[in-house]
Amino acid sequence: MTRRRSRKATWGCLTVMLLIAAVCCAAPITGAISAVVALQSAARDDGGTAADIPPRMLTAYKNAVQQVGKYVPRCQGMRWPILAGIAKVESNHAIGRTIAGNGDIRPRIYGVLLNGSGAGGNTTAFPDTDGGRWDGTATGERAVGPFQFLPSTWEGIGKDANGDKTADPHNADDAALGAAVYLCGNGRDLTKRTQLEAAILQYNHSSEYVANVLGWIDQYTAAAKSPDLKNVSGRVRAVLEVALSQRGVPYSWGGGSTNGPSTGICCSPSGKSGADITGFDCSGLTLYAYAKAGISLPRTAAAQAGVGKRIPAGLGTTALKPGDLVFFAYAPGRDSTIYHVGIYVGNGRMVNAARPGTQVRLDAVNAMSGYAGGARLL
């Protein structure tokens, strides 16, 4: 038994703001798990990164995959997207907490007190089993850590993953490894959908929960695959290769030029400064990638919509081809309200510099709201 409710993650939206440097801004994104979720991830050859996951948490997930075989030798198919899917629903990857180098998460993450009061959806009282050691209270039980284990469950599956001699559910490494061990059971084959579903159902006995987690796992898995460019050539390929090579470069408000990543300016509508960050904003990335193919673009996303052959939003995303610019607007149909631009790579995905606090990555086109069509320059 782990947790009695999932939480939804919501990101704030940034509004259009044209400063002297004429930068582009980020999209409003919502993480409503039960809907078609907006994937915030990017692929790399090392098995994938995900820009909505704090790097230290992603490291913990990957380390757990490497270590789980010591404890469940017969387990097959454990992958970091599985752990990421669970942690996304349970705690939004501990976003908002401080994650120390050793993996300790502060402040600690506590669920509601499971005293049968109905708060948070709990209707059954669970007596205290840890004297408050992990859940901070001796009056009952509550789920703890980024994977939201009950102390009684943690007692049976908790593992020391970081070598500090303590299995701590509030430590990213330990919690991720404990989750991997729990999901593996006595030796599941998680490459089989039915066994993966059974593992998630064991984690939380709710069909809605299973569907939510599977949605995230599927999208993280898809985004971890590098795009196939074998049928793309010429200047289109040059643009895509340049853009894809920048994955992992930080978002910087006002950052990026025809020469590559650069420090940005202060400040975005949310108050985020790019002045100390070397990287790209959305239109800075497109400016750089297309410059490498000999195409000069204006600096803002809205202005870039006036270059090349416009692809109306009404034609849908199936009208897009690799190399096209992809636009998003607060009022689709009014190009003056365009707030964001990406580069389409095919299969519903784009190279994207999304917003402050993220990195250049691959995203689903529908990760951003207000699809406003595209532009074909090549």
Side-chain angles (χ1 to χ4, degrees), residues 65-223:
V65 172
Q66 297 299 316
Q67 296 184 54
V68 69
K70 301 176 185 177
Y71 303 97
V72 192
R74 293 191 295 126
C75 183
Q76 300 180 55
M78 176 55 68
R79 300 171 288 115
W80 72 259
I82 296 175
L83 298 174
I86 295 286
K88 178 67 180 182
V89 175
E90 293 294 348
S91 71
N92 192 26
H93 307 299
I95 288 174
R97 263 65 175 185
T98 297
I99 308 169
N102 70 349
D104 286 344
I105 298 170
R106 297 294 184 272
R108 292 178 168 185
I109 302 172
Y110 296 119
V112 299
L113 184 64
L114 300 175
N115 56 6
S117 67
N122 82 91
T123 57
T124 303
F126 289 82
D128 176 68
T129 62
D130 69 333
R133 180 187 183 189
W134 299 125
D135 63 6
T137 177
T139 63
E141 293 277 86
R142 54 182 178 177
V144 297
F147 285 87
Q148 290 290 276
F149 282 109
L150 289 181
S152 56
T153 303
W154 183 253
E155 181 66 26
I157 56 90
K159 304 299 177 187
D160 172 23
N162 65 354
D164 66 357
K165 310 301 182 183
T166 300
D168 184 349
H170 298 285
N171 177 275
D173 296 313
D174 295 355
L177 181 55
V181 169
Y182 190 70
L183 291 165
C184 280
N186 293 323
R188 289 190 176 97
D189 183 351
L190 299 176
T191 64
K192 296 179 178 179
R193 191 73 168 188
T194 54
Q195 294 196 36
L196 176 59
E197 291 175 353
I200 300 170
L201 192 63
Q202 172 186 286
Y203 205 95
N204 189 318
H205 200 74
S206 160
S207 58
E208 181 181 1
Y209 180 88
V210 172
N212 289 342
V213 171
L214 285 173
W216 282 106
I217 292 173
D218 289 345
Q219 293 189 61
Y220 281 132
T221 299

Side-chain angles (χ1 to χ4, degrees), residues 14 16 28 47 96 127 152 178 192 222 248 260 283 293 295 310 323 334 341:
L14 303 179
V16 174
S152 56
K192 296 179 178 179
S283 57
I295 295 176
R310 198 73 164 87
R334 295 173 54 194
V341 60

